Amino acid sequence: LLLVSGGPWLFDQCDLLSAVCTTIKVLSEASVEARNSSIGGLDEEHRAADAVQVLGEARFSGARCHLRFAGEYSRLLRAYDSAFVHLRESTLRHGAMAASLDDLSHVRLEECDLSHFSVAAFNTQFNGKAARLDLVRTNVTGRYLWFNQDRPVVLDKGSNLHVQHLEGAWQHFSVRIRDNLNVHRQAS
């Protein structure tokens, strides 16, 4: 639907909705900010391929946004290369996965709510060891936290991460959690 390769762009109080295709693809060194907007598929029956894809050196930030209705094998958010994504007070709902991180991408979710994903909250498709995921006062509800074994070495949870009703992959999930100067290792 939207291919952004420049900017900065601001979407305020917008409904950016599509069926079949990716709703917003942010490329190169583009910069996009969304506020109080809905991004993704039209509804349960008419889903986007992905809600947001961020590639290259691009930046995407959102406040009080709703990423919704990604397709059966799609993500609400995909970050590749050296992309940076920062979402605040937003929801990511109704997709196969909430977010996919690869390469040197950095995703920061603050006071967000992630739920209703059919596969897992997070995954990496290619190479996720160097990617960074920051979760700050974020709620994650679903069956699995991470889909595959190729995940970032460090998950920085900021001050608070609430995980509800996770099973399966969560039981095998080992992560170093940084909380101020203390480092804790959660048993697998």
Side-chain angles (χ1 to χ4, degrees):
L1 182 64
L2 288 175
L3 180 64
V4 181
S5 60
W9 284 87
L10 171 64
F11 297 99
D12 193 4
Q13 299 181 11
C14 295
D15 286 335
L16 303 167
L17 307 174
S18 67
V20 183
C21 63
T22 295
T23 306
I24 298 179
K25 186 179 272 192
V26 187
L27 303 171
S28 304
E29 296 178 5
S31 178
V32 172
E33 181 180 357
R35 296 183 201 145
N36 306 303
S37 296
S38 292
I39 303 169
L42 299 169
D43 55 37
E44 188 77 33
E45 297 297 317
H46 303 92
R47 294 173 175 258
D50 289 326
V52 176
Q53 287 185 5
V54 188
L55 298 87
E57 302 285 325
R59 304 284 183 250
F60 180 88
S61 63
R64 295 169 305 284
C65 289
H66 305 286
L67 277 60
R68 60 185 228 174
F69 298 118
E72 185 178 357
Y73 300 105
S74 300
R75 285 83 171 150
L76 295 161
L77 170 65
R78 285 190 200 234
Y80 297 104
D81 306 318
S82 296
F84 177 72
V85 176
H86 184 195
L87 295 176
R88 298 171 313 284
E89 301 174 28
S90 297
T91 59
L92 288 83
R93 294 192 177 134
H94 302 286
M97 290 172 228
S100 180
L101 295 83
D102 282 294
D103 308 313
L104 298 172
S105 63
H106 180 182
V107 173
R108 182 173 180 84
L109 304 175
E110 291 185 53
E111 298 181 27
C112 292
D113 185 55
L114 286 64
S115 63
H116 298 92
F117 33 85
S118 59
V119 177
F122 304 104
N123 91 310
T124 52
Q125 189 167 350
F126 305 109
N127 177 18
K129 298 277 188 218
R132 179 173 172 186
L133 174 63
D134 300 333
L135 300 173
V136 180
R137 293 180 302 282
T138 290
N139 294 307
V140 180
T141 307
R143 283 187 63 202
Y144 299 106
L145 185 63
W146 210 278
F147 178 66
N148 54 8
Q149 299 300 316
D150 186 26
R151 50 185 156 250
V153 175
V154 175
L155 171 70
D156 190 345
K157 72 162 179 92
S159 61
N160 199 357
L161 170 64
H162 303 287
V163 179
Q164 304 169 1
H165 183 67
L166 293 172
E167 54 191 57
W170 175 253
Q171 296 169 359
H172 306 292
F173 188 74
S174 296
V175 65
R176 288 185 294 161
I177 298 174
R178 292 190 221 169
D179 189 3
N180 296 329
L181 297 176
N182 300 321
V183 177
H184 309 284
R185 182 166 180 89
Q186 187 155 12
S188 57

